[in-house]
Amino acid sequence: MMRKSLLLATACCLAAGLAAPGLAAQSRDTLRLTLDDALDVAVGSNPTYRQANNNISLNGIEMRTTWLDQILPQASLSLFNTAFTGNLQRTAQDNFGNPIDDPDAAWNYFSSTNQNLNLSWSIRGQSLFQAHKRQTLTNQGRNIAEVRALTDLQVQVQRLYMDAVEQRDLLRVEEELLAAREIDLDVAERLFSLAFRTRVDVLNAELAVEQQAFELRQQRTRHERALLSLRTQLGNEEIGPISLDDSALPLFDPSGLDADNLARSALTVNPELLQSGVSVRSSMLGVKEANNAWWPTIDMGIDVYRRTQLPQGQSLFDVSFDEELESRFFMQFSIPMFNNYFQNKQSIERASVQLENDMEAERAARLRIEETVRGALLELSNQWESLRLAERSVEIAVEALRLAREEYRIGTRSFEDLRSGFEQEASTRRQVITSRHSFVDALLSLEEAVGTRVRGGAGLSPAPAAPGAR
């Protein structure tokens, strides 16, 4: 009896120690976090996604700059340009036009003030349209990169959230198994006190409790590490201790999903493939830009100016509007196609090769994505069947353990045989939790490959707790 009291006290202390982290977390205002909450927090705080989102802010200013610097005429305005100049002419010409020394050489002084407005435009081939197209493709690339970063973030957060849920569910299983082992220990001690069992059975029951307590501690550590990984991915330093919501897992029969439809959808919305399409269009534009080397360059412009120039300093700082406005229009054609001929030819060939390579890369991406989608659907179906088998196995193991306990109580089964039933029942309970989350992980892989959600049907409730020892 003294040993029994000591053992019970030890078990109580161990249970209190294992429960201490949970009690401490609750005392620090633990945040109840749903999956939707986690996604919202990650979108607002994850550094990687925020970088991709920040890049989009450049789209507007760069498009306006493209219009003002490359498409519309370039404007320059000079409102005040004044100067004072002095000249000394030391030579003159004789009657025959020969230069001679000027005996009357003297300094001549004059001043001038100018205001000028210049509009200039330079065109080469289709450079104006191509500049706009280039910036449009750049903006599309940033938008797709933001969508891809968001998709990757959502998948990663869901994976980490579901992994934390899996570790929590396994932790609950280990706690229930520890409670069951303690009940089995109590049964062994009562049978020993009645001289129905030997001291060996009591010691084996104590060993089973200790081993299960060790497994519980290990599982608690795995759960805490999973929560830590989730917190890091969320990217919000202000979030305190968190606990996960008991929402239903997205479990459904995937037989209604069609591989061909999923593949076609992936080829339409998958961000990776969309980025490959932008790269191909950018290379096509690069070929056209390289071919501009064979087109003439047209430079045109107009100057509108007011100019005043008078002797001495009479025009210095003259900002009046007495002088009439003058204007000048100019146009120039240049044909540089024969300049750097071989370098231009090389640039065109490189642009063509880059286009072919990008088209092949896009084709490879299509093949890879289609294979990934079909393979992910096969894996999802396989995990669904594995889950059905695991759920059936746990039902059989629970019933077998119940019968084994009854046989142990009436003396027809040894404790070693009962312990084998313990291990089988614990293994199948862990397996059903793992199978459920393996299905969810396969579902996330499929949605990542497609680029959008494909789940359907109602989620099943979490696995029911196994009945306690009777």
Side-chain angles (χ1 to χ4, degrees):
M1 293 300 295
M2 291 180 59
R3 181 172 182 80
K4 176 180 179 181
S5 300
L6 180 61
L7 185 58
L8 290 177
T10 303
C12 292
C13 293
L14 179 60
L18 294 175
L23 295 176
Q26 292 177 4
S27 64
R28 289 180 291 168
D29 297 331
T30 301
L31 174 64
R32 190 73 168 180
L33 195 68
T34 66
L35 178 57
D36 291 337
D37 293 336
L39 292 173
D40 291 339
V41 172
V43 169
S45 303
N46 182 267
T48 302
Y49 174 70
R50 292 182 65 175
Q51 290 176 10
N53 193 41
N54 291 338
N55 291 335
I56 296 182
S57 62
L58 297 174
N59 289 352
I61 185 63
E62 288 189 359
M63 180 58 78
R64 291 191 293 271
T65 302
T66 299
W67 273 96
L68 295 175
D69 288 352
Q70 302 184 49
I71 299 177
L72 298 178
Q74 298 294 299
S76 62
L77 177 64
S78 176
L79 295 178
F80 188 75
N81 185 6
T82 188
F84 182 81
T85 306
N87 288 332
L88 177 62
Q89 188 71 30
R90 296 183 181 275
T91 61
Q93 294 181 348
D94 59 15
N95 295 332
F96 301 100
N98 298 318
I100 59 175
D101 292 335
D102 188 356
D104 299 324
W107 283 93
N108 295 319
Y109 298 96
F110 63 93
S111 59
S112 63
T113 300
N114 301 327
Q115 291 87 33
N116 181 70
L117 172 63
N118 172 263
L119 296 176
S120 60
W121 213 13
S122 181
I123 305 174
R124 190 172 189 181
Q126 301 180 3
S127 59
L128 300 182
F129 304 102
Q130 292 166 356
H132 182 270
K133 183 65 175 177
R134 173 63 64 188
Q135 187 59 47
T136 299
L137 291 174
T138 300
N139 293 351
Q140 290 178 359
R142 290 198 186 102
N143 291 333
I144 294 174
E146 188 269 342
V147 172
R148 187 172 184 180
L150 177 59
T151 302
D152 293 343
L153 174 63
Q154 290 176 337
V155 170
Q156 187 64 20
V157 169
Q158 290 182 85
R159 287 187 188 280
L160 293 176
Y161 187 93
M162 291 303 175
D163 180 62
V165 170
E166 178 182 7
Q167 300 307 320
R168 181 202 62 190
D169 293 343
L170 289 173
L171 177 62
R172 291 175 177 175
V173 168
E174 300 301 337
E175 291 172 345
E176 294 169 359
L177 291 175
L178 177 60
R181 298 297 87 80
E182 291 173 347
I183 294 175
D184 292 327
L185 172 60
D186 183 67
V187 171
E189 289 179 334
R190 281 189 286 126
L191 293 176
F192 173 69
S193 65
L194 297 175
F196 291 157
R197 286 290 182 270
T198 66
R199 183 64 180 165
V200 175
D201 285 356
V202 176
L203 293 176
N204 285 334
E206 291 178 8
L207 178 60
V209 170
E210 295 296 332
Q211 290 177 336
Q212 184 56 44
F214 175 78
E215 187 63 33
L216 175 59
R217 182 173 294 278
Q218 295 295 104
Q219 183 57 42
R220 188 179 298 279
T221 301
R222 288 191 286 267
H223 178 229
E224 293 297 331
R225 295 193 62 176
L227 290 177
L228 179 61
S229 298
L230 176 60
R231 285 170 51 87
T232 302
Q233 188 67 21
L234 296 181
N236 192 327
E237 301 89 342
E238 298 179 357
I239 294 182
I242 62 175
S243 64
L244 306 182
D245 187 65
D246 290 322
S247 301
L249 298 179
L251 304 177
F252 62 95
D253 187 354
S255 59
L257 299 177
D258 183 72
D260 294 334
N261 290 337
L262 292 176
R264 283 193 296 268
S265 179
L267 297 180
T268 303
V269 302
N270 186 278
E272 179 185 357
L273 192 57
L274 294 179
Q275 279 189 329
S276 297
V278 171
S279 298
V280 170
R281 293 194 295 274
S282 179
S283 297
M284 290 180 178
L285 182 59
V287 173
K288 295 178 181 179
E289 291 172 338
N291 284 320
N292 282 339
W294 309 125
W295 286 80
T297 300
I298 303 176
D299 296 304
M300 64 181 69
I302 184 172
D303 289 322
V304 179
Y305 55 92
R306 173 192 173 274
R307 176 176 60 186
T308 177
Q309 182 173 329
L310 295 173
Q312 300 300 322
Q314 300 178 26
S315 291
L316 196 64
F317 304 110
D318 183 5
V319 293
S320 64
F321 292 91
D322 298 336
E323 301 292 335
E324 294 183 357
L325 291 177
E326 301 180 41
S327 61
R328 181 176 69 95
F329 176 79
F330 63 90
M331 179 178 291
Q332 176 183 345
F333 287 86
S334 62
I335 306 177
M337 61 181 298
F338 298 109
N339 300 336
N340 300 322
Y341 176 84
F342 293 104
Q343 289 82 351
N344 294 337
K345 190 70 174 177
Q346 176 179 277
S347 298
I348 294 174
E349 289 297 326
R350 284 181 174 176
S352 299
V353 171
Q354 184 63 43
L355 173 59
E356 293 178 0
N357 289 340
D358 286 341
M359 292 177 66
E360 291 299 324
E362 182 189 31
R363 190 168 69 89
R366 288 178 176 273
L367 295 174
R368 183 176 62 256
I369 289 174
E370 183 173 359
E371 177 191 3
T372 303
V373 169
R374 295 181 182 276
L377 182 57
L378 290 175
E379 179 62 20
L380 185 66
S381 300
N382 177 61
Q383 292 298 336
W384 175 255
E385 295 301 325
S386 299
L387 174 59
R388 298 297 92 188
L389 294 175
E391 290 177 341
R392 177 57 181 159
S393 297
V394 77
E395 294 175 359
I396 296 173
V398 168
E399 179 64 16
L401 181 58
R402 185 187 67 82
L403 296 176
R405 284 194 174 105
E406 295 293 338
E407 293 177 359
Y408 175 73
R409 289 190 178 106
I410 63 177
T412 59
R413 180 181 291 268
S414 67
F415 190 86
E416 287 299 323
D417 295 336
L418 182 60
R419 187 172 182 177
S420 176
F422 292 163
E423 296 174 353
Q424 291 180 357
E425 189 260 355
S427 176
T428 55
R429 292 190 61 189
R430 297 184 185 108
Q431 183 180 7
V432 74
I433 297 296
T434 303
S435 297
R436 283 172 173 261
H437 288 274
S438 295
F439 177 88
V440 174
D441 187 66
L443 175 61
L444 292 176
S445 297
L446 177 60
E447 292 181 343
E448 183 180 19
V450 175
T452 186
R453 286 199 169 194
V454 302
R455 63 190 66 177
L460 302 180
S461 59
R470 292 188 293 272

